[in-house]
Amino acid sequence: MILTQCAVCATELGLTLGKKCGRCSTRYCGPECQVQHWKEGGHDKLCKPIKKAGGAEQYNANKKYTEAVTIAVEKCAEDTKGQTCYICTQALHWKTKEGLVRGCSCRGTAGFAHVSCLAEQVKILWEEAEENNLEDKFGERWYRWETCSLCEQKYHGVVRCALGWACWKTYVGRLETDQIRRLAMTRLGNGLSEAEHHEDALTVQMAQLATMRRLGAAECDILIVQGNLASTYQFLGRLEDALRMRRDVYSGRLKLNGEEHYDTIREAFNYTTSLVSLKRYAEAKSLSQKMICVARRVLGEDQLLTLKLRWNYAAALQFVQSDTGATLDNLREAVTTLEGSERTARRVLGGTHPTTMGIETALRQARATLRAREPK
Ligand SMILES: [Zn+2]
Ligand SMILES: [Zn+2]
Ligand SMILES: [Zn+2]
Ligand SMILES: [Zn+2]
């Protein structure tokens, strides 16, 4: 997590308050905690390694990265047994001795890798783009921090989290005003969310938003962070907070980018998710219906976002109240919609992808509801 608290008593310090260790920059609420940390908290031994690593934030990022890799490797152990890394061709990483992961949509023997190898590869690609000012490559290369270069799908779960820490640890040492450091914070926040560490994600996103407001960041950049923050509210069960922010971000995107922009479609999807979770089905139904048409036209049928919009549409459809007694029709349409989505998801993402599994569960439930309601 981004360090926003006193290292001893956990008093909230924001991003700038408190007293820093003169050597390693570890922050405390005041001299008392600093003295205690030195005498009893082991800082006398840690100060040097922390300074050597590049300061408290860097040290923390390195440590968290190693932990996240260990977790990811363990989680993937069954899937990766007997495989080798497609980058370095070894089973164990030559330097870190870490095991393999796979957290994308690669199948068969494809896509096994070490998090360290994936991270090193993106780092080099990014450095090359930066040094040679390859502006047309910036987006695509930065995207590699969360997308598999083989199957072109995003990493999910603990693998995405480990890559989030990898990204943050790579760029945390840059100046606060550096765009890349800010984007790395986004990767970290997203990674933490993917691994369901939502309280940690909230801390990262709040810190990021505060920094950006202080530095006077552009509207479109603030919208991204607000969107991420809304997701975190949603996960933490703060649904009204989430909905308010979703609505603002969606209307902000409409104004800034227009209806056919990927980010606008994504925010529309997120807004409908919020509406569904607050049982505002009629609004969710009409917005998702409208945006499915846009998504099909702009992104295509096989796009993850199109699939997810259809999933939300089906969810809203099953519960929306109707005066004309068309509920049974709605249920049938929901089942048909989910059947189509499930086929597409299996083909494009594979059977073990969380979206495919989620759609399957929704389909089973919708079929059961339909069976119970259908006239015999
Ligand atoms: Zn303290
Ligand atoms: Zn120190
Ligand atoms: Zn490797
Ligand atoms: Zn892949």
Side-chain angles (χ1 to χ4, degrees):
M1 170 178 350
I2 311 280
L3 300 169
T4 60
Q5 297 176 337
C6 168
V8 175
C9 69
T11 294
E12 197 53 50
L13 301 173
L15 290 165
T16 48
L17 299 176
K19 187 177 185 316
K20 278 184 184 175
C21 170
R23 284 168 295 268
C24 74
S25 300
T26 296
R27 281 194 299 154
Y28 305 97
C29 62
E32 274 174 37
C33 276
Q34 184 174 11
V35 170
Q36 195 198 328
H37 206 219
W38 186 269
K39 286 186 173 160
E40 291 157 34
H43 195 79
D44 55 334
K45 293 188 186 67
L46 272 179
C47 187
K48 230 183 185 170
I50 296 175
K51 182 180 161 42
K52 200 172 158 225
E57 276 299 358
Q58 183 72 61
Y59 181 81
N60 180 59
N62 295 352
K63 196 168 130 232
K64 291 285 188 176
Y65 165 73
T66 310
E67 288 168 14
V69 169
T70 307
I71 291 170
V73 169
E74 271 169 24
K75 189 91 190 272
C76 298
E78 206 167 307
D79 192 27
T80 59
K81 210 181 281 171
Q83 304 292 338
T84 52
C85 174
Y86 77 87
I87 299 167
C88 73
T89 74
Q90 302 298 309
L92 279 183
H93 190 273
W94 66 278
K95 193 171 164 197
T96 65
K97 305 295 174 215
E98 75 199 60
L100 298 162
V101 299
R102 186 167 72 168
C104 50
S105 296
C106 281
R107 270 160 284 179
T109 55
F112 296 103
H114 299 112
V115 177
S116 293
C117 288
L118 292 170
E120 190 60 23
Q121 198 176 49
V122 198
K123 191 182 150 205
I124 291 167
L125 277 172
W126 180 256
E127 268 166 17
E128 189 208 23
E130 248 184 350
E131 272 163 26
N132 301 301
N133 218 9
L134 308 173
E135 277 185 39
D136 56 325
K137 297 252 163 57
F138 278 0
E140 168 212 322
R141 294 209 174 166
W142 185 254
Y143 203 52
R144 292 277 164 246
W145 279 111
E146 61 174 22
T147 313
C148 172
S149 57
L150 303 176
C151 67
E152 298 291 332
Q153 297 297 330
K154 284 191 180 187
Y155 298 108
H156 47 81
V158 288
V159 174
R160 178 104 154 260
C161 184
L163 280 163
W165 278 114
C167 184
W168 177 239
K169 117 182 150 74
T170 306
Y171 304 109
V172 60
R174 294 199 179 191
L175 289 175
E176 199 183 52
T177 46
D178 191 316
Q179 165 102 333
I180 293 311
R181 188 183 193 271
R182 182 172 64 65
L183 291 176
M185 231 187 222
T186 303
R187 284 288 158 271
L188 174 59
N190 290 353
L192 288 165
S193 298
E194 261 293 311
E196 295 177 14
H197 301 311
H198 301 301
E199 292 288 352
D200 292 349
L202 189 68
T203 308
V204 171
Q205 288 156 354
M206 294 287 226
Q208 188 179 13
L209 199 57
T211 310
M212 287 168 71
R213 290 215 164 109
R214 185 157 44 84
L215 299 174
E219 173 70 9
C220 62
D221 296 334
I222 288 190
L223 282 174
I224 293 172
V225 183
Q226 283 182 315
N228 294 337
L229 199 52
S231 304
T232 306
Y233 281 141
Q234 182 95 15
F235 283 123
L236 290 170
R238 293 168 63 174
L239 301 184
E240 293 289 347
D241 287 332
L243 185 73
R244 248 192 311 279
M245 201 159 275
R246 288 288 178 221
R247 191 173 38 221
D248 291 351
V249 175
Y250 171 55
S251 59
R253 278 292 166 201
L254 263 181
K255 255 185 245 138
L256 198 65
N257 305 108
E259 191 180 59
E260 298 200 336
H261 195 278
Y262 180 87
D263 293 341
T264 311
I265 302 172
R266 187 193 56 219
E267 292 311 330
F269 161 73
N270 289 329
Y271 184 32
T272 60
T273 305
S274 238
L275 287 166
V276 167
S277 57
L278 279 165
K279 300 190 164 50
R280 289 165 65 163
Y281 300 121
E283 291 159 85
K285 176 178 172 267
S286 69
L287 181 60
S288 51
Q289 191 166 26
K290 187 177 107 182
M291 293 314 285
I292 287 167
C293 297
V294 179
R296 275 190 172 134
R297 190 171 67 236
V298 181
L299 309 171
E301 190 70 42
D302 289 355
Q303 237 280 341
L304 185 59
L305 203 47
T306 314
L307 276 171
K308 285 180 161 182
L309 270 166
R310 292 177 68 192
W311 185 5
N312 270 358
Y313 175 67
L317 204 52
Q318 288 174 67
F319 299 107
V320 73
Q321 294 300 316
S322 169
D323 309 329
T324 55
T327 321
L328 204 55
D329 287 340
N330 282 350
L331 268 175
R332 288 191 185 111
E333 194 189 339
V335 169
T336 317
T337 304
L338 288 167
E339 281 169 349
S341 305
E342 197 257 359
R343 273 193 302 275
T344 314
R346 271 196 168 274
R347 178 169 49 80
V348 181
L349 306 171
T352 58
H353 193 281
T355 298
T356 311
M357 296 202 284
I359 292 173
E360 275 171 358
T361 307
L363 176 58
R364 268 198 302 279
Q365 283 162 355
R367 276 176 178 155
T369 315
L370 180 62
R371 263 200 304 277
R373 297 272 288 281
E374 224 158 12
K376 302 277 177 302

